[in-house]
Amino acid sequence: MAKTTFYHAGCPVCASAKHDLNTILGRSKFDVEIVHLGEQPAALPAAKQAGVQSVPALVMENGSVLHINFGVDINALG
Amino acid sequence: MAKTTFYHAGCPVCASAKHDLNTILGRSKFDVEIVHLGEQPAALPAAKQAGVQSVPALVMENGSVLHINFGVDINALG
């Protein structure tokens, strides 16, 4: 299964994007790790290193970063 | 099958997002209509009406609009 990571911060835009992605990804063969950066600040460096500039964002297995709408600037999270 | 519409304008960001979405959606049970707004300007009003503010964007069956990264402001297309 392809491995992707969905970063979010519990914001309304994040919740909405998460819902929609669940609709898509739940019907596909993706293994999605959900990371709440507000609750897991230790994951911030990895997210920034992956190229995440804002959340919600989905980091694909190939390294692509899909910023989905705009919830929170990642630098506002720490 | 769920019906979604992917709007783009042939830009580099669009092409990249299209590639990544194909990876996701190609493995799922989604019927995706691809609309190139540069080549199909008649589709612009429907895209704007759906809430698309920039492309690339994916409009979900439930009406949600996922703006994926930022390629082109839709108002720059006409």
Side-chain angles (χ1 to χ4, degrees), chain B residues 12-34:
Chain B
V13 172
C14 296
S16 177
K18 190 176 168 188
H19 173 80
D20 291 324
L21 277 176
N22 273 342
T23 301
I24 294 174
L25 295 170
R27 302 186 197 186
S28 65
K29 298 184 176 68
F30 273 76
D31 175 20
V32 186
E33 180 185 1
I34 309 285

Side-chain angles (χ1 to χ4, degrees), chain A residues 1-2 4 6 17-34 58, chain B residues 2 23-25 27-30 60 66:
Chain A
M1 290 216 285
T4 59
F6 179 69
K18 190 177 168 188
H19 172 82
D20 291 324
L21 277 176
N22 273 342
T23 301
I24 295 174
L25 296 170
R27 301 186 198 186
S28 65
K29 298 185 176 68
F30 274 76
D31 175 19
V32 187
E33 180 183 3
I34 309 286
L58 184 71
Chain B
T23 301
I24 294 174
L25 295 170
R27 302 186 197 186
S28 65
K29 298 184 176 68
F30 273 76
M60 308 272 298
L66 302 182

Side-chain angles (χ1 to χ4, degrees), chain B residues 3-76:
Chain B
K3 180 69 170 54
T4 58
T5 307
F6 178 69
Y7 290 104
H8 74 112
C11 58
V13 172
C14 296
S16 177
K18 190 176 168 188
H19 173 80
D20 291 324
L21 277 176
N22 273 342
T23 301
I24 294 174
L25 295 170
R27 302 186 197 186
S28 65
K29 298 184 176 68
F30 273 76
D31 175 20
V32 186
E33 180 185 1
I34 309 285
V35 177
H36 187 316
L37 290 172
E39 297 173 353
Q40 300 172 57
L44 268 169
K48 290 179 181 177
Q49 180 67 30
V52 175
Q53 296 177 358
S54 62
V55 290
L58 184 71
V59 177
M60 308 272 298
E61 190 180 31
N62 67 359
S64 290
V65 183
L66 302 182
H67 296 94
I68 300 160
N69 295 331
F70 181 86
V72 181
D73 189 303
I74 198 163
N75 291 314

Side-chain angles (χ1 to χ4, degrees), chain A residues 22-61:
Chain A
N22 273 342
T23 301
I24 295 174
L25 296 170
R27 301 186 198 186
S28 65
K29 298 185 176 68
F30 274 76
D31 175 19
V32 187
E33 180 183 3
I34 309 286
V35 177
H36 188 314
L37 290 172
E39 296 174 353
Q40 301 173 56
L44 267 170
K48 291 180 180 177
Q49 179 67 29
V52 174
Q53 296 177 359
S54 61
V55 289
L58 184 71
V59 177
M60 309 271 301
E61 191 180 31

